[in-house]
C-alpha cells in the first residue's frame, strides 16, 4: 500500500472516523482505524460495539492499492502535527509510514484478520436537511438525561411519520421534556405506504449529537433505520449507531395544557436577565419569574436573605392578572438557549406545575403545534 494525499484531507478523515473509537477496549484491534486505498480514493473506517464510522476522501495518487490497520488515536495525533501540503503514506513491512515536508513518522501495523467487518447500513427510510437536522438534535439534546443507570432517558426519540412527512425528536430527564419537529422526505419505497411504515426508535443523545454535528451543514442526510441500529449518510460519510432499548414516555397528554396563562417576552433580554440574576443562586436555588398584566412586566429574582439579585423586563400576560413561577436556573438557561426566535411564549399553569416554552413564531403565521416545545416543571413554593 502506498498513496499521496493532502494533509488537511487526511487529518479531517482520520478525525471524523476516530470519533467512534473506544477510549479503552479489551479488544486491541478496535482501537485501530482501517485505511483502504483504491481507485483514487482513501476510505477510513472505525468502530466499537456501539457505533461505526466510514468516510471516503479523494487521494492525490494511489501508487499501490491496499489496506492497513493502525492505532487510530496515534494516527490522529500525527495528523495534527504534520506540515501542511502533500503527505506520503506507505506500508513498509510491519510499519505504516507517514511523511511530509521532511517530517517522517512510523506506526506499527495491527493484524487485519482480527478486525471485524463494519455493520451494514440499515434500510434507508428517507432524507432530511443536514443543517435543520443538526439544529433540531441540539434543541432537544439539552433535555436528555445523563444518568447511565436509566439508559432510556439518555436517548433521543426519533420518530418518522410517512403520512405527514414529519420527523419528531424528543428527549426528557423526567424534570424537563423537549420536542422538536422538522420535515423529512421519505424514499420512494416508503412514500404512500401509509402511517404503518413510520418508525419510532431511541438513539443515544450523545452519539446522535456527535453525528449531527459532524455530517456538515448543507445538503441532504440519508436516514436509515433497522431492527437494532440507525444509520446516517452524507457526502461520503456513513455512520451507524446501536439503538437503545426501551421507550420514552409519550408527550401528547403531558403537553396538553388547558387554559394556561400565556406570557410573551423578548428572548435575548430574558436570556441575559436569567444569566445575570443566577449568579446569586446557590446550588440549585431557583430563579423566580413574576409576571404582571397590570404593568406588562416580568420581575426576575434569585437568591435568599441579603444575597439577592433582580431585574424587571417588559412582558405581556394573558389569561391571568399575575403569575409567578420558578425554575432551576441551569434548566431554564438550557431551555432558552435552544430557541432562536426573537420572542418566546411561556404557557404556565402555576407554581409547582408544568410550564411550556415555545417560539412566538412568524407574524401572521400560526403553527400548531409549534415546531419546538420545551416543558419545565415549576418549583414549589416559589421565592417569597
Amino acid at each position: 500500500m502506498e498513496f499521496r494525499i493532502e494533509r488537511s484531507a487526511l487529518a479531517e478523515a482520520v478525525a471524523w472516523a476516530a470519533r467512534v473509537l473506544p477510549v479503552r477496549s479489551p479488544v486491541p484491534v478496535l482501537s485501530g482505524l482501517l485505511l483502504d486505498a483504491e481507485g483514487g480514493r482513501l476510505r477510513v473506517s472505525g468502530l466499537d460495539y456501539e457505533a461505526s464510522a466510514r468516510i471516503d476522501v479523494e487521494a492525490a495518487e494511489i501508487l499501490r492499492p491496499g489496506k492497513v490497520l493502525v492505532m487510530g488515536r496515534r494516527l490522529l495525533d500525527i495528523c495534527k502535527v504534520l506540515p501542511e501540503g502533500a503527505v506520503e503514506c506507505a506500508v513498509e513491512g510491519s510499519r505504516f509510514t507517514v511523511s511530509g515536508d521532511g517530517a517522517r513518522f512510523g506506526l506499527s501495523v495491527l493484524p487485519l484478520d482480527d478486525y471485524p467487518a463494519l455493520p451494514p447500513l440499515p434500510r434507508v427510510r428517507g432524507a432530511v436537511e443536514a443543517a435543520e437536522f443538526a439544529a433540531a438534535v441540539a434543541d432537544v439534546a439539552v433535555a436528555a438525561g445523563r444518568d447511565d443507570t436509566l439508559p432510556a432517558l439518555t436517548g433521543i426519540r426519533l420518530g418518522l411519520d410517512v403520512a405527514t412527512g414529519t420527523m419528531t425528536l424528543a428527549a426528557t430527564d423526567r424534570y424537563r421534556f423537549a420536542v422538536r419537529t422538522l420535515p423529512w422526505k421519505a424514499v420512494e419505497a416508503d412514500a404512500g405506504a401509509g402511517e404503518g411504515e413510520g418508525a419510532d426508535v431511541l438513539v443515544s443523545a450523545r452519539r446522535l449529537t456527535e453525528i449531527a454535528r459532524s455530517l456538515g451543514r448543507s445538503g441532504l442526510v440519508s436516514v436509515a433505520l433497522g431492527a437494532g441500529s440507525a444509520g446516517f449518510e452524507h457526502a461520503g460519510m456513513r455512520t451507524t449507531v446501536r439503538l437503545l432499548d426501551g421507550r420514552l414516555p409519550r408527550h401528547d397528554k403531558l403537553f396538553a395544557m388547558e387554559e394556561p396563562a400565556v406570557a410573551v417576552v423578548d428572548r435575548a433580554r430574558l436570556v441575559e436577565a436569567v444569566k445575570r440574576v443566577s449568579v446569586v443562586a446557590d446550588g440549585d436555588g431557583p430563579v423566580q419569574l413574576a409576571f404582571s398584566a397590570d404593568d406588562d412586566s416580568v420581575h426576575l429574582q434569585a437568591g435568599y436573605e441579603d444575597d439577592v439579585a433582580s431585574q424587571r423586563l417588559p412582558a405581556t400576560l394573558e389569561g391571568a392578572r399575575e403569575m409567578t413561577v420558578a425554575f432551576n436556573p441551569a434548566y431554564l438557561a438550557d431551555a432558552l438557549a435552544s430557541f432562536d426566535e426573537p420572542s418566546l411564549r411561556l404557557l404556565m399553569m402555576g407554581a409547582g406545575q408544568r410550564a411550556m416554552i415555545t417560539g412566538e413564531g412568524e407574524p401572521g403565521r400560526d403553527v400548531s403545534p409549534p415546531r419546538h416545545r420545551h416543558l419545565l416543571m415549576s418549583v414549589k413554593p416559589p421565592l417569597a
Side-chain angles (χ1 to χ4, degrees):
M1 173 198 233
E2 186 176 359
F3 62 91
R4 294 176 62 250
I5 190 171
E6 286 296 314
R7 187 210 71 86
S8 58
L10 177 64
E12 289 175 7
V14 169
W16 193 84
R19 294 176 305 105
V20 302
L21 296 182
V23 176
R24 296 181 182 85
S25 175
V27 184
V29 292
L30 291 186
S31 299
L33 286 178
L34 178 64
L35 279 61
D36 183 357
E38 186 178 11
R41 59 103 181 103
L42 173 68
R43 172 172 291 175
V44 184
S45 308
L47 79 160
D48 70 1
Y49 294 114
E50 302 293 329
S52 72
R54 192 191 80 186
I55 181 171
D56 291 350
V57 293
E58 290 187 5
E61 186 178 8
I62 304 296
L63 302 174
R64 285 184 289 129
K67 298 180 181 181
V68 65
L69 184 68
V70 296
M71 294 297 293
R73 298 191 188 279
R74 178 61 59 84
L75 179 59
L76 178 59
D77 290 340
I78 290 172
C79 289
K80 290 177 180 178
V81 299
L82 279 170
E84 292 293 339
V87 175
E88 297 183 1
C89 302
V91 174
E92 301 175 357
S94 61
R95 176 183 295 175
F96 178 69
T97 62
V98 183
S99 58
D101 195 23
R104 182 179 174 86
F105 300 86
L107 281 173
S108 57
V109 173
L110 299 174
L112 266 175
D113 292 342
D114 296 339
Y115 195 66
L118 263 66
L121 192 72
R123 182 166 67 94
V124 175
R125 301 297 188 96
V128 63
E129 284 289 342
E132 191 167 7
F133 179 63
V137 171
D139 287 345
V140 302
V142 295
R146 309 293 192 270
D147 186 355
D148 290 333
T149 63
L150 300 169
L153 295 184
T154 66
I156 290 177
R157 175 192 168 223
L158 193 160
L160 301 178
D161 190 324
V162 175
T164 62
T166 301
M167 173 186 289
T168 300
L169 301 173
T172 181
D173 61 2
R174 296 182 299 176
Y175 305 104
R176 46 191 171 163
F177 206 135
V179 175
R180 178 75 153 76
T181 59
L182 64 158
W184 76 293
K185 182 178 177 59
V187 295
E188 292 185 5
D190 288 336
E195 297 183 13
E197 282 296 311
D200 195 339
V201 299
L202 197 58
V203 186
S204 162
R206 180 179 65 84
R207 293 285 190 183
L208 191 58
T209 299
E210 290 176 351
I211 290 168
R213 286 175 178 170
S214 70
L215 287 176
R217 295 289 176 173
S218 62
L220 292 175
V221 173
S222 295
V223 180
L225 297 175
S229 66
F232 304 88
E233 189 170 24
H234 173 65
M237 296 175 283
R238 172 184 291 189
T239 185
T240 64
V241 58
R242 186 177 66 83
L243 298 178
L244 297 178
D245 295 328
R247 301 173 70 89
L248 292 186
R250 302 295 298 189
H251 64 271
D252 310 73
K253 292 183 179 179
L254 187 64
F255 278 33
M257 303 175 69
E258 296 184 6
E259 301 182 355
V262 181
V264 177
V265 62
D266 181 271
R267 180 190 60 83
R269 296 187 68 179
L270 182 59
V271 168
E272 287 302 314
V274 169
K275 184 187 303 182
R276 190 169 292 122
V277 303
S278 295
V279 298
V280 299
D282 293 329
D284 292 331
V287 171
Q288 175 181 289
L289 291 79
F291 293 89
S292 172
D294 294 331
D295 58 3
D296 290 331
S297 71
V298 56
H299 183 245
L300 288 82
Q301 181 177 335
Y304 296 96
E305 298 180 348
D306 293 330
D307 298 321
V308 295
S310 65
Q311 183 171 354
R312 191 176 297 274
L313 299 176
T316 62
L317 180 65
E318 297 180 356
R321 297 309 305 167
E322 59 183 31
M323 175 63 68
T324 300
V325 290
F327 304 106
N328 175 298
Y331 290 176
L332 180 58
D334 285 345
L336 297 177
S338 68
F339 291 86
D340 55 13
E341 290 88 345
S343 299
L344 297 179
R345 290 164 57 90
L346 282 76
L347 287 69
M348 300 166 288
M349 301 299 294
Q353 301 186 58
R354 293 165 293 156
M356 184 187 297
I357 304 174
T358 72
E360 191 182 13
E362 299 175 9
R365 181 184 177 189
D366 182 21
V367 180
S368 183
R371 66 188 181 94
H372 181 198
R373 293 170 287 171
H374 195 114
L375 195 75
L376 292 170
M377 288 303 297
S378 172
V379 177
K380 185 179 181 180
L383 295 175

